[in-house]
Amino acid sequence: MNATRTALRAWIAAMLILCSVGARAPAEVRSEVPSSELTPVLTPAPGQTKVHVDAFRLDPRPVTNSQFLQFVRNQPQWRRDRVARLVADEGYLSHWAAADALGPNAQPNQPVTRVSWFAAQAYCESEQARLPSWYEWEYAAAADATRRDARADPAWRESILGWYSRPSSKALPDIGGAPNAYGVRDLNNLVWEWVDDFNALMVASDSREQGDPDLLKFCGAGAISLQEKENYAVLMRIAMLSALKAADTTNNMGFRCAKPE
Amino acid sequence: MKRLLPLFAMFLLLGSARAATPLPGDSVYNLPVQLTDQDGRRQTLAERRGRPQLVTMFYTSCQMVCPMIIDSLRLTRNALDPATRARIDLLAVSFDPAKDDVATLKSYAQKRKLDPRIWTLARAEPAQVRQLSGVLGLQYRQLPDGEFNHSSELILLDADGRIAARTTRIGKLDPEFVEAIRKVVAQPQS
């Protein structure tokens, strides 16, 4: 039995090595986003309008189907037929042709979608990275091609809002839109994206009435309010993220990874 | 290679037979979380399998809702008949591992007279706190002054760690939640 086990271990090890060699493209250099003060759409605290964001590095593109396929091959516990329901719902990677094959509905260069927050986290961890925080994402996404904060420009806001009217049944374009001022692409007009603290974006709009039993649902959350109310695009992102559970997947929710500077 | 495959399958079967019954896929015990309690004892979340649990998340420096969360847990437990009460455990995990070290949890437990045979106050590393809040469906954010906004809920886990019921009613008893606990405890052990 011992000899068999040794042989088995050797076989498994060999398979693992075979699987991890080749196929993997060299990781793209993450774009550098310098530290700054951000005026987020969601007030950080009562009476406070700004938040400090430390310098960080962000993937210039969302993670693609082919990158995620490689991850699933390296870490088979994330195959759709092996993953625990706790960390990924029934829709997880359901548009792939098979548990380890992309097929016609999942092109290699399309952003991967139908991934849960847990799966996105595990992917970034496998890259020695993490998901960006909401503030990091909001900060990077405030830039257009030339300005670091284009949010006050009505034309810019319009262009982002245009994306939201795109029917979600339409096939997703490939990654590789125009870079913004940091060299980051596809933030505002390709997919929704998970962030590390997606379940921190509490909007306590259901606690408007005095004596509402829901008032106690969020400890102290009555104090949180929205500023930059005209920034609908970002507000919709917040509403989307705060409505999701960590195991949820949707056909237009993807992610990218970040790293501290 | 071909001859090895059946062996490999057998190996898998043997392995799973030796372990306890596999966890249901929707059990929160699938999540690897390392807890440290108010007495410094380390325990994985999954080690709590076997008995139904009342679970919540809180933090000790919280002046607003958290004292009421602990009160609500106590109130709920007291509403159960003694036989049911004896078959459940209480677990409260901190949102604030930076401030809630073992000594802080301990002094909080003493101040609030939380019997360690019944109550586990625990901390975990920050990334695991975020994951745990994810599987429990709780939201939280830290504010610049160190306070937290968070959802306040009591959650019932069955003996295998599946979420069986939850209540957002804090500060007074939720009879439906109490009834759900009775039912889960009365279930035959799987």
Side-chain angles (χ1 to χ4, degrees), chain A residues 18 44 46 63 77 96 110 142 151 159 166 175 256 259:
Chain A
L18 279 177
V63 173
Q77 73 271 28
W96 284 14
Q110 277 177 329
R151 294 177 299 171
S159 74
R166 190 184 147 276
I175 57 159
R256 70 181 75 215
K259 241 185 169 168

Side-chain angles (χ1 to χ4, degrees), chain A residues 3-71:
Chain A
T4 324
R5 263 194 219 161
T6 314
L8 263 172
R9 285 214 188 103
W11 177 65
I12 293 167
M15 291 314 287
L16 285 177
I17 290 165
L18 279 177
C19 293
S20 51
V21 171
R24 194 174 190 84
E28 195 167 16
V29 181
R30 293 199 168 89
S31 306
E32 199 179 321
V33 185
S35 77
S36 181
E37 301 295 313
L38 168 75
T39 305
V41 158
L42 210 58
T43 53
Q48 205 170 327
T49 56
K50 284 182 185 295
V51 68
H52 180 79
V53 180
D54 282 331
F56 65 103
R57 285 183 176 274
L58 188 62
D59 282 353
R61 295 173 171 85
V63 173
T64 62
N65 280 316
S66 73
Q67 289 173 313
F68 204 80
L69 177 64
Q70 197 55 50
F71 163 71

Side-chain angles (χ1 to χ4, degrees), chain A:
Chain A
M1 193 64 191
N2 264 340
T4 324
R5 263 194 219 161
T6 314
L8 263 172
R9 285 214 188 103
W11 177 65
I12 293 167
M15 291 314 287
L16 285 177
I17 290 165
L18 279 177
C19 293
S20 51
V21 171
R24 194 174 190 84
E28 195 167 16
V29 181
R30 293 199 168 89
S31 306
E32 199 179 321
V33 185
S35 77
S36 181
E37 301 295 313
L38 168 75
T39 305
V41 158
L42 210 58
T43 53
Q48 205 170 327
T49 56
K50 284 182 185 295
V51 68
H52 180 79
V53 180
D54 282 331
F56 65 103
R57 285 183 176 274
L58 188 62
D59 282 353
R61 295 173 171 85
V63 173
T64 62
N65 280 316
S66 73
Q67 289 173 313
F68 204 80
L69 177 64
Q70 197 55 50
F71 163 71
V72 164
R73 283 180 177 158
N74 293 339
Q75 299 202 21
Q77 73 271 28
W78 287 103
R79 287 164 56 107
R80 71 179 187 200
D81 56 352
R82 298 196 196 164
V83 74
R85 221 14 104 234
L86 180 78
V87 291
D89 69 15
E90 304 78 20
Y92 175 66
L93 298 179
S94 58
H95 59 310
W96 284 14
D100 61 351
L102 299 182
N105 297 325
Q107 296 302 313
N109 278 329
Q110 277 177 329
V112 67
T113 57
R114 297 187 201 271
V115 283
S116 66
W117 176 78
F118 285 110
Q121 250 203 344
Y123 177 96
C124 291
E125 206 171 293
S126 78
E127 299 271 299
Q128 287 81 50
R130 56 169 173 76
L131 288 169
S133 72
W134 167 254
Y135 287 144
E136 286 170 344
W137 195 96
E138 187 180 358
Y139 174 41
D144 69 359
T146 53
R147 296 166 290 187
R148 287 184 169 176
D149 192 345
R151 294 177 299 171
D153 179 353
W156 163 243
R157 285 182 178 159
E158 275 304 305
S159 74
I160 297 175
L161 273 176
W163 173 70
Y164 289 83
S165 57
R166 190 184 147 276
S168 67
S169 53
K170 233 173 117 183
L172 286 171
D174 283 0
I175 57 159
N180 74 6
Y182 307 109
V184 181
R185 299 159 194 266
D186 306 321
L187 278 165
N188 284 303
N189 44 20
L190 189 55
V191 282
W192 306 87
E193 294 185 22
W194 285 112
V195 294
D196 181 60
D197 51 350
F198 79 99
N199 65 348
L201 306 166
M202 296 167 291
V203 184
S205 56
D206 54 344
S207 310
R208 281 165 295 207
E209 287 168 43
Q210 288 291 323
D212 183 340
D214 276 344
L215 266 179
L216 290 179
K217 193 175 165 197
F218 297 132
C219 178
I224 296 301
S225 60
L226 302 168
Q227 50 188 4
E228 302 260 333
K229 288 197 175 64
E230 58 286 10
N231 201 334
Y232 305 117
V234 174
L235 288 174
M236 281 161 84
R237 292 248 168 198
I238 292 174
M240 174 75 169
L241 285 167
S242 64
L244 288 173
K245 296 193 185 66
D248 286 349
T249 67
T250 84
N251 64 356
N252 45 20
M253 190 79 181
F255 71 101
R256 70 181 75 215
C257 306
K259 241 185 169 168
E261 184 55 273

Side-chain angles (χ1 to χ4, degrees), chain B residues 129-148:
Chain B
V129 173
R130 184 62 75 189
Q131 291 187 330
L132 181 63
S133 74
V135 296
L136 295 176
L138 299 176
Q139 298 178 297
Y140 73 100
R141 73 195 297 234
Q142 186 164 24
L143 302 175
D145 64 357
E147 294 287 312
F148 286 76

